[in-house]
Amino acid sequence: MKKIAIIALALFVQNAFAQVNRFVYQVTMKSDAANKNDIKTENAYLDISQEKSLFYSENRVKRDSIMQKTFQSGGAIAFNRDQMEGLRTSINYSVEKDKKDQKTYFKDRLGRDMYSYEEDRPLNWKISPETTKIGDYKVQKAETDFAGRKWTAWFTTDLPYQDGPYKFSGLPGLIVKVEDSQGDYSFDLMKNYKIAELANLSQRGNIIKVKRKDFLKQQEKYRTDPMSFMTQGGGGGGGFAQTVVVGGAGRGGGGGNRNPADMKKRMEERVKDEAKKNSNPIELQ
């Protein structure tokens, strides 16, 4: 009985101090314009605290955990390459929403560094009186045009959060489902539970603050000349003001005895292949 009481007390304390709510969304993507039958599906987390929320890939966290254990062991624990391949993600970005300042920040990796910009396009929702039920939640319909797509969202006031997956927020409740009119992208709430604190996502290299329009320029440059982003200073010579927020030692190209020319060729082929498979991105404008 004493042991049961201790366990119950521990669970109570854990729940009492768990200030973050994690919502798990299934993300469905048709990112290859030439092959709409290639449907990618994976889970992403929306972690919501009192101050902010964070949206990111579940696989990213799992990969980071494996890498961290490997580094901490000094290489004594070898990670399984097949396992790492199975945890590849199509959601390489993260989205942070600051509740106090009502601002949304987008981060994505280009080469060795992470680029960050503040979203400068407001979401203007048109709320419909139409309601239905999704799972356990009574939901209401809302529509918006954003980044070249028409989106339909279903939100619930059963949960006290004016938030949602990706950059979506600003409705009177939590977004349970949001999908574009072409059916290329959808975010569907699967489950939720409490966690102790917001995730601390690993940040290799530097975080470089830019304007959104300049990020798009750098992104296009990366697709055509990826190796320029893999050297010290990388794509930083983009001709615009930038602020390095967090420094990182950054691990070099690695590979020791690998032929640099072969590495360059493989890198360029990989990036071009990824660009081809992402010819139907979530944001068209």
Side-chain angles (χ1 to χ4, degrees), residues 226-245:
M227 290 308 295
S228 70
F229 286 76
M230 301 307 293
T231 56
Q232 187 67 35
F240 55 84
Q242 58 184 355
T243 305
V244 177
V245 183

Side-chain angles (χ1 to χ4, degrees), residues 109-140:
R109 179 169 297 281
L110 298 179
R112 57 177 284 127
D113 296 320
M114 188 74 74
Y115 285 72
S116 173
Y117 68 81
E118 180 186 335
E119 177 55 60
D120 55 2
R121 297 162 295 179
L123 282 163
N124 298 311
W125 293 101
K126 180 182 178 182
I127 298 177
S128 164
E130 183 179 347
T131 61
T132 187
K133 195 170 185 181
I134 297 179
D136 295 329
Y137 303 111
K138 179 182 177 182
V139 295
Q140 188 170 350

Side-chain angles (χ1 to χ4, degrees), residues 62-82:
K62 291 181 178 179
R63 285 173 65 93
D64 285 352
S65 176
I66 292 171
M67 293 299 291
Q68 185 176 4
K69 288 177 181 177
T70 301
F71 292 145
Q72 288 177 344
S73 71
I77 301 175
F79 63 80
N80 185 308
R81 292 190 179 277
D82 290 337

Side-chain angles (χ1 to χ4, degrees), residues 2-274:
K2 186 177 180 181
K3 187 175 181 180
I4 294 174
I6 291 173
I7 293 173
L9 179 61
L11 290 172
F12 173 78
V13 171
Q14 182 179 0
N15 288 331
F17 286 93
Q19 299 297 319
V20 178
N21 286 272
R22 170 168 290 171
F23 296 90
V24 183
Y25 287 84
Q26 178 177 280
V27 186
T28 305
M29 302 158 279
K30 299 178 183 178
S31 55
D32 188 345
N35 185 11
K36 291 294 187 73
N37 291 322
D38 181 17
I39 303 173
K40 298 182 178 70
T41 302
E42 64 178 278
N43 287 346
Y45 295 151
L46 174 65
D47 294 347
I48 304 177
S49 71
Q50 291 183 343
E51 298 80 21
K52 62 182 181 180
S53 69
L54 190 61
F55 182 77
Y56 56 99
S57 164
E58 178 184 70
N59 281 354
R60 175 180 174 180
V61 178
K62 291 181 178 179
R63 285 173 65 93
D64 285 352
S65 176
I66 292 171
M67 293 299 291
Q68 185 176 4
K69 288 177 181 177
T70 301
F71 292 145
Q72 288 177 344
S73 71
I77 301 175
F79 63 80
N80 185 308
R81 292 190 179 277
D82 290 337
Q83 182 184 22
M84 293 295 281
E85 281 295 317
L87 292 176
R88 281 195 174 276
T89 177
S90 296
I91 304 172
N92 295 301
Y93 58 81
S94 63
V95 180
E96 180 180 314
K97 303 187 189 91
D98 187 311
K99 293 185 180 181
K100 181 180 178 181
D101 296 332
Q102 294 293 298
K103 292 182 177 180
T104 298
Y105 300 96
F106 180 88
K107 293 181 183 178
D108 199 358
R109 179 169 297 281
L110 298 179
R112 57 177 284 127
D113 296 320
M114 188 74 74
Y115 285 72
S116 173
Y117 68 81
E118 180 186 335
E119 177 55 60
D120 55 2
R121 297 162 295 179
L123 282 163
N124 298 311
W125 293 101
K126 180 182 178 182
I127 298 177
S128 164
E130 183 179 347
T131 61
T132 187
K133 195 170 185 181
I134 297 179
D136 295 329
Y137 303 111
K138 179 182 177 182
V139 295
Q140 188 170 350
K141 184 178 180 181
E143 297 173 299
T144 190
D145 292 332
F146 180 71
R149 293 182 185 272
K150 293 183 180 296
W151 294 90
T152 298
W154 295 91
F155 67 94
T156 180
T157 55
D158 294 344
L159 297 166
Y161 306 103
Q162 297 182 3
D163 209 333
Y166 193 55
K167 298 177 180 179
F168 300 110
S169 64
L171 286 167
L174 183 77
I175 295 173
V176 173
K177 178 181 179 66
V178 58
E179 181 179 30
D180 78 292
S181 59
Q182 300 299 315
D184 291 341
Y185 287 86
S186 68
F187 301 82
D188 297 85
L189 180 62
M190 306 299 290
K191 60 182 177 180
N192 68 285
Y193 51 90
K194 290 183 180 296
I195 59 175
E197 58 185 359
L198 284 172
N200 184 20
L201 301 180
S202 66
Q203 304 289 358
R204 298 183 301 277
N206 300 314
I207 299 179
I208 302 174
K209 282 188 175 182
V210 297
K211 297 292 187 181
R212 182 177 62 86
K213 64 178 182 179
D214 293 323
F215 168 78
L216 296 177
K217 291 177 183 177
Q218 292 297 87
Q219 188 179 54
E220 185 58 33
K221 180 181 176 183
Y222 176 66
R223 287 170 178 162
T224 57
D225 186 16
M227 290 308 295
S228 70
F229 286 76
M230 301 307 293
T231 56
Q232 187 67 35
F240 55 84
Q242 58 184 355
T243 305
V244 177
V245 183
V246 178
R251 298 179 67 86
N257 297 323
R258 291 181 185 174
N259 187 310
D262 289 343
M263 289 178 63
K264 181 176 187 292
K265 184 179 179 181
R266 283 196 296 270
M267 170 65 74
E268 290 175 342
E269 288 176 348
R270 182 178 65 81
V271 172
K272 288 177 181 178
D273 184 57
E274 287 178 354

